[in-house]
Amino acid sequence: MEAAGDREMVNNVMCLLTDPDGTPLGSAMYLPQNAGPHQLQQIVNQLLNNEEKLPYAFYISDQELVVPLGTYLEKHKVSVEKVLSIVYQPQAVFRIRPVSRCSATIAGHTEPVLSVAFSPDGQQLASGSGDTTVRLWDLNTQTPLYTCTGHKNWVLCIAWSPDGKYLVSGSMAGELQCWDPQTGKPLGPPLKGHKKWITGIAWEPVHLNAPCRRFVSASKDGDARIWDVSLKRCVMCLTGHTLAVTCVKWGGDGMIYTGSQDCIIKVWETSQGKLIRELRGHGHWVNSLALSTEYVLRTGAFDHTSKQYSSPEEMKKAALERYNKMKGNAPERLVSGSDDFTMFLWEPFVSKRPKTRLTGHQQLVNHVCFSPDGQWLASASFDKSVKLWNGITGKFVAAFRGHVGAVYQISWSADSRLLLSGSKDSTLKVASGGKDRMLKLWMG
């Protein structure tokens, strides 16, 4: 009987389940070595008392567990004499279908398309072009809705308000135009104030102010300006950068972040437009900024259920719930990508010093982007690669080298399972899954 008991103990392993922040889910427990992700999902749902069974992914030392525990332990030669820490991460309850073909070609623009943006509810697409127009498209029928005319130069960037009521576009001439997406008509005259072209637009989150009224624009002229669409004028000018402002974000805590060619990231409060912090560390231009909460800030109250809201107050409440759930107990994180080949991961409310420095790219970092769940961070570089990082710790995870030209932009699917990259080599490539699965699927 003692021998049988010893064999039983050998076939079990002491495990401690923790959330991504390191908080234990109960105490350590013995689990059979034949237990895999499916059995672990059942245990986590039961321990969390989830009425609706939710999907989870599991990680051991940043390696996703996709096989039974025993197989993993044998492969990685992990000792069973110590408590095995297993991190569980909630996954989206919906799945985006992998891209395998072009579903439609939507023609209309007569010059290159320079910017595109989905509406927060996912029903429309807006595009800005070198032909000086903004076009609105119905995604259900994949047909054009409106052609918005009025700009005198290339339309460089566009941004939807998180409540879906407005669309703003910025041009090479330094002008901004607000549009009504329901009619395609301009809402007032162009907004003038910038002396050079527009480099970025970001709206105030709807959970902070509903209905949406304010947005911030960044320009080559070195300034950022806050505009009120109801007043149809600039209400604040954020000055202080000595070179062009290349990117701007409006955070969920109400602060505005601007990155510049002067190598500095500035943090602004938005009631009086005061500078409250400078984030220094980069040795060259700051090209791109991304927030860990960016997806829920952009989509506001809208999620995969397509729920409609009867009032701005109801929408604001739903958006705040989504934001708080996504953010959790951790501070909002910011990542910056630079011409100095590096990135910095920041927690601006915790410290003006970076949390960690992310190195590995061999040329400038052109674009950075958090996954919608904030667990992953992707970077695109002129070194022809896309790199994947842990979105919480900044630890390097994987490199994708399928492109043969500089990688310009990246974008995540709403379920955080697919990563899309666009390159100078004229191809789009898609990576699928978590850390391990992402190394398996690339499609041109």
Side-chain angles (χ1 to χ4, degrees):
M1 290 180 64
E2 288 180 2
D6 290 340
R7 284 196 301 272
E8 185 177 345
M9 292 297 292
V10 169
N11 290 329
N12 292 297
V13 56
M14 179 69 82
C15 299
L16 180 64
L17 293 165
T18 67
D19 66 14
D21 296 327
T23 305
L25 181 60
S27 56
M29 67 186 80
Y30 278 107
L31 294 177
Q33 292 193 19
N34 61 1
H38 178 70
Q39 290 76 17
L40 290 173
Q41 282 198 47
Q42 293 177 326
I43 293 171
V44 171
N45 276 295
Q46 187 170 354
L47 291 175
L48 292 175
N49 296 319
N50 292 333
E51 293 184 7
E52 180 184 354
K53 303 308 178 185
L54 301 177
Y56 294 91
F58 300 90
Y59 296 87
I60 302 173
S61 301
D62 292 330
Q63 293 268 349
E64 184 176 4
L65 181 68
V66 294
V67 295
L69 281 171
T71 305
Y72 178 90
L73 296 174
E74 183 178 353
K75 178 181 178 181
H76 296 274
K77 296 180 171 55
V78 178
S79 172
V80 295
E81 295 180 357
K82 298 179 180 179
V83 176
L84 185 67
S85 179
I86 303 176
V87 178
Y88 66 92
Q89 290 183 354
Q91 303 292 290
V93 296
F94 60 95
R95 276 187 174 272
I96 302 298
R97 286 181 296 177
V99 179
S100 57
R101 63 185 177 85
C102 176
S103 63
T105 300
I106 312 177
H109 284 297
T110 57
E111 294 290 337
V113 178
L114 304 176
S115 54
V116 292
F118 287 104
S119 62
D121 62 4
Q123 299 300 307
Q124 290 178 258
L125 178 71
S127 57
S129 169
D131 63 14
T132 74
T133 69
V134 173
R135 288 180 177 256
L136 292 166
W137 314 85
D138 185 330
L139 293 177
N140 292 316
T141 60
Q142 299 179 348
T143 56
L145 283 173
Y146 306 107
T147 300
C148 309
T149 58
H151 281 295
K152 299 184 179 68
N153 210 322
W154 298 352
V155 181
L156 299 178
C157 45
I158 51 179
W160 293 81
S161 63
D163 60 4
K165 302 297 183 184
Y166 303 104
L167 176 71
V168 169
S169 55
S171 79
M172 190 77 175
E175 295 181 353
L176 295 140
Q177 182 66 62
C178 188
W179 309 91
D180 181 356
Q182 301 302 314
T183 63
K185 302 294 183 183
L187 295 170
L191 303 173
K192 299 181 179 181
H194 285 298
K195 301 176 184 64
K196 292 185 178 181
W197 62 85
I198 308 299
T199 56
I201 302 170
W203 280 86
E204 182 175 22
V206 69
H207 73 260
L208 297 177
N209 194 6
C212 294
R213 289 181 53 170
R214 299 195 299 172
F215 68 92
V216 61
S217 59
S219 171
K220 172 72 173 176
D221 64 15
D223 293 341
R225 291 176 176 264
I226 300 177
W227 308 82
D228 189 309
V229 294
S230 299
L231 300 177
K232 296 180 175 61
R233 65 180 178 87
C234 175
V235 293
M236 269 175 255
C237 186
L238 312 178
T239 60
H241 284 294
T242 57
L243 292 173
V245 180
T246 55
C247 42
V248 62
K249 299 294 178 184
W250 199 318
D253 292 322
M255 303 302 169
I256 289 175
Y257 306 94
T258 54
S260 168
Q261 289 181 352
D262 63 13
C263 311
I264 302 171
I265 301 162
K266 292 182 182 288
V267 185
W268 313 82
E269 64 86 36
T270 56
S271 60
Q272 297 178 328
K274 291 182 180 179
L275 176 67
I276 60 174
R277 182 164 287 180
E278 288 185 344
L279 308 178
R280 296 174 178 265
H282 283 298
H284 213 305
W285 297 354
V286 178
N287 293 324
S288 181
L289 295 174
L291 287 164
S292 57
T293 57
E294 197 160 326
Y295 177 76
V296 294
L297 296 182
R298 182 181 69 80
T299 54
F302 298 103
D303 59 16
H304 65 286
T305 62
S306 302
K307 181 180 178 181
Q308 299 298 311
Y309 299 91
S310 58
S311 67
E313 292 74 22
E314 184 185 7
M315 182 176 287
K316 181 179 180 180
K317 180 181 178 182
L320 182 60
E321 289 177 356
R322 288 190 74 210
Y323 173 75
N324 287 334
K325 182 179 179 181
M326 192 274 147
K327 184 178 171 230
N329 297 322
E332 192 172 57
R333 301 183 300 283
L334 177 76
V335 68
S336 54
S338 169
D339 262 27
D340 64 11
F341 305 179
T342 73
M343 295 173 288
F344 281 110
L345 183 64
W346 312 83
E347 291 179 346
F349 279 168
V350 176
S351 173
K352 65 180 181 181
R353 297 183 181 276
K355 183 177 180 180
T356 186
R357 184 169 181 252
L358 287 64
T359 61
H361 281 296
Q362 303 302 309
Q363 292 192 42
L364 67 87
V365 180
N366 194 54
H367 193 213
V368 290
C369 190
F370 275 98
S371 61
D373 61 9
Q375 300 297 326
W376 305 102
L377 172 62
S379 56
S381 170
F382 277 20
D383 65 9
K384 307 175 187 177
S385 76
V386 175
K387 291 186 183 294
L388 183 70
W389 316 79
N390 184 300
I392 298 173
T393 65
K395 183 178 179 181
F396 173 74
V397 176
F400 308 131
R401 303 186 182 280
H403 286 295
V404 294
V407 186
Y408 290 148
Q409 280 191 315
I410 43 183
S411 183
W412 289 88
S413 64
D415 62 359
S416 301
R417 293 184 175 99
L418 299 173
L419 176 63
L420 175 74
S421 57
S423 166
K424 183 181 179 180
D425 64 16
S426 78
T427 68
L428 297 173
K429 294 186 183 294
V430 182
S432 166
K435 173 189 172 181
D436 291 336
R437 290 185 297 249
M438 280 188 136
L439 295 168
K440 295 180 181 177
L441 177 60
W442 280 83
M443 295 181 290

